[in-house]
Structure formats: structure tokens, C-alpha cells
Amino acid sequence: MFSLTGVVLNCFTTPPSDKYPDPAYKVQLLGDQLTKDGQVKKEMVTLGFPRDAFLMLEKNIGNVVTMPIGLFVTEGRLQPFFPKGRASEIATGGKNA
């Protein structure tokens, strides 16, 4: 399992639709990505979460969190996802400096 550390920037929901009858809970995180030459690039990622994890992350907007993530490849791009049943493994690290 991989892990992601970043600052919780935003939490939002998307309403149910005919195709997806349940609302979706999304969180945007900002983290550091190292480049090949050792520089740091800021990268934002948006992930879907179960409701319990979303509610906890919503209380931590502006704070640093660390969580497990899974990865898969689609259309040649590496895509992270939050694995189901892992909400208890989200760790908060305090305010962003």
C-alpha cells in the first residue's frame, strides 16, 4: 500500500444522478511531488471518500493529513484512489506551516 501526505484544501459533494444514485464525497489535497532533478512541484489531487472519512477530513481543512492510497493506471496515467474500509488509518498532522 502506498501513502499520501498533503494539506486538505477543499471538501465537496456531488449530488446523486440517474447513473449514480448516491452522493459522492470528494476531497482535494495539495502535496509535494519531487521532480527528476530534485526540485519540488506542488500537485493537487481530488479523491473520492466514504462518508465517514469525508466528515473527518472536512474538519481538517488546512491541516496536513496522511492516508493510505491505492494506485491504478487508466489511459496511460497513474490514478490514486482511497481504499474502502481504511478511514481509521487517516492520520492528521496539525496545521500546515
Side-chain angles (χ1 to χ4, degrees):
M1 186 70 52
F2 293 92
S3 67
L4 170 73
T5 299
V7 177
V8 179
L9 291 181
N10 186 35
C11 297
F12 64 97
T13 60
T14 56
S17 66
D18 290 337
K19 187 173 181 180
Y20 301 105
D22 295 320
Y25 302 97
K26 305 284 186 169
V27 177
Q28 294 176 305
L29 299 128
L30 181 68
D32 294 340
Q33 180 180 12
L34 294 176
T35 62
K36 290 180 183 180
D37 61 359
Q39 296 183 73
V40 175
K41 176 177 110 172
K42 295 292 184 183
E43 185 81 22
M44 185 175 71
V45 63
T46 303
L47 299 174
F49 286 88
R51 187 173 188 276
D52 59 337
F54 175 84
L55 293 173
M56 191 272 292
L57 290 167
E58 194 173 40
K59 294 176 186 172
N60 281 286
I61 291 177
N63 293 337
V64 175
V65 296
T66 300
M67 67 190 68
I69 60 165
L71 300 169
F72 68 94
V73 176
T74 181
E75 298 179 8
R77 295 191 57 180
L78 194 60
Q79 297 291 336
F81 67 93
F82 184 76
K84 291 180 182 178
R86 305 298 283 267
S88 64
E89 297 176 40
I90 299 173
T92 59
K95 285 282 184 193
N96 183 26

